[in-house]
Amino acid sequence: MPARAASSGGPPIVVDKFGGSVLRRPDDIAAAVEVVAGQQASGLRPVVVVSAFEGVTDAILASASVLLPDAGAGLRDPRQDAASPLARETDRALATGEALSAALFALGLQARGLPARSFTGAEAGIRTAAAHLGAEVRRVAPRQLRAALAEGLVPVVAGFQGIGSHGELTTLGRGGTDLSAVVLAAALRADRCELFKDTGGIMEADPHLVPAARFLPVVDAVQLELLAELGAEVVHPVAVRRARRGRVRLVVRALDSSQPMTEVQPRTVRNAPPAGLMLAVARRDRIARISLVGPAASTPELLPIPAHGAGSFYESGMRVVWAEVPVEQAGAGAQAVHASLMAG
């Protein structure tokens, strides 16, 4: 696929998102820095977007829950008041994890001899609604990033955050660094957005539940969006939707370029291989919902497992078939569906 010209001219831009599963500790930044250095050496202009180190966000939330009324249960109310001082301070605490990662990543690049500068989400131009703990991205004005690229710098952006229309720092909700990377890639007209995961490319099912699950070199963007909405923790569903609508080329991969990677393709790609079946499992209390997503023509209308409840629906050429089982049977049920309908 030919490289997409950047809106500012010059070499193509690639946006790299490094998640917490890749950045488990500061030492892991060195491996990610080598990836960025290789991209720059090949003639690309990288823009880095980082999550907090693995476990940091959960640790901040755990600390906050000790201090908040009802362990912070009220903050999960979707009707949360944008002026809530509790939500404001929780957002500011949460954003420190990504800010730390961005500053350390920029230090790592500089130590490698690559000029770099860290940016908050606000400095990167991510503008959101006036809301806390899950704000919607309204627009992106990446002027400072373009200026940094023009100076030959590698911008390193703290993901998961932006600035609201009320002028306050906001966070984008769980998995929001995926969204940060995608909206920046769209605004910068990047050649592609690469999402780095510890597992590498996308698999047809969660390998922790279905050890026989296989990697998929290509997935359909609509199918992946549905899968994410149904509980598969692969890519943030809103990030997939924004990538699809903004025509952002998404690649999901590991740090090691020899490992399998997955390209997320819109249906407009000519001669794209037909989509296969994919499996998602969502747990809620004592019930697990197993969902199969695939083209309507090749997806059955009922899953071949005993279930407390079942159903199906059709969306954008895809059929979703689901069954609910006791949560302790989630693994066995997912493996049975895979063996019956997806193996071979």
Side-chain angles (χ1 to χ4, degrees):
M1 180 181 291
R4 181 182 186 181
S7 59
S8 58
I13 295 170
V14 57
V15 175
D16 297 320
K17 178 261 181 175
F18 296 99
S21 64
V22 174
L23 302 178
R24 290 190 170 92
R25 55 193 184 279
D27 288 349
D28 294 331
I29 288 177
V33 162
E34 289 305 312
V35 172
V36 175
Q39 290 175 338
Q40 193 173 66
S42 69
L44 294 169
R45 289 186 292 169
V47 174
V48 176
V49 182
V50 293
S51 296
F53 292 114
E54 187 175 57
V56 168
T57 300
D58 288 338
I60 294 171
L61 282 172
S63 298
S65 68
V66 174
L67 303 169
L68 290 166
D70 301 322
L75 295 181
R76 292 189 285 273
D77 189 333
R79 296 166 297 179
Q80 179 64 238
D81 182 0
S84 163
L86 294 178
R88 177 187 187 273
E89 301 308 329
T90 302
D91 257 358
R92 285 177 172 261
L94 288 172
T96 61
E98 280 69 22
L100 173 63
S101 291
L104 290 177
F105 205 109
L107 281 173
L109 288 166
Q110 291 168 8
R112 177 66 168 70
L114 302 176
R117 183 181 298 158
S118 63
F119 294 82
T120 65
E123 291 168 342
I126 296 177
R127 309 288 188 253
T128 76
H132 290 289
L133 302 171
E136 175 192 354
V137 176
R138 293 286 176 82
R139 64 188 181 91
V140 181
R143 290 184 292 274
Q144 291 193 57
L145 297 188
R146 290 197 182 102
L149 288 168
E151 292 177 36
L153 297 171
V154 177
V156 183
V157 180
F160 175 65
Q161 59 181 260
I163 186 167
S165 56
H166 55 342
E168 294 282 358
L169 181 150
T170 56
T171 61
L172 309 183
R174 179 69 70 172
T177 306
D178 284 350
L179 181 56
S180 299
V182 165
V183 297
L184 288 173
L188 293 167
R189 299 193 71 242
D191 174 61
R192 62 185 182 274
C193 178
E194 298 197 347
L195 307 178
F196 290 84
K197 311 279 184 178
D198 60 337
T199 55
I202 297 170
M203 304 185 77
E204 59 189 359
D206 183 346
H208 297 103
L209 290 176
V210 184
R214 297 163 297 193
F215 278 102
L216 300 172
V218 176
V219 298
D220 179 273
V222 172
Q223 185 178 20
L224 182 62
E225 182 182 334
L226 285 169
L227 201 77
E229 290 174 343
L230 292 164
E233 297 181 356
V234 181
V235 181
H236 193 294
V238 180
V240 181
R241 187 178 310 127
R242 297 288 286 260
R244 183 164 58 86
R245 293 176 178 174
R247 298 184 179 182
V248 174
R249 179 184 168 197
L250 274 184
V251 176
V252 182
R253 55 166 292 192
L255 289 176
D256 184 352
S257 61
S258 68
Q259 295 299 310
M261 61 182 68
T262 303
E263 181 149 352
V264 182
Q265 289 189 340
R267 217 162 286 167
T268 54
V269 174
R270 291 183 180 179
N271 303 318
L277 302 177
M278 298 180 73
L279 198 62
V281 177
R283 297 175 178 84
R284 180 176 296 177
D285 298 325
R286 290 175 288 180
I287 296 296
R289 175 172 285 198
I290 300 172
S291 302
L292 186 70
V293 184
S298 58
T299 305
E301 296 185 2
L302 191 67
L303 295 184
I305 54 173
H308 293 330
S312 66
F313 63 89
Y314 177 90
E315 185 171 328
S316 301
M318 292 286 165
R319 176 175 288 133
V320 176
V321 188
W322 57 268
E324 291 182 341
V325 301
V327 70
E328 61 271 14
Q329 297 177 18
Q335 290 176 39
V337 172
H338 184 272
S340 176
L341 301 173
M342 303 165 71

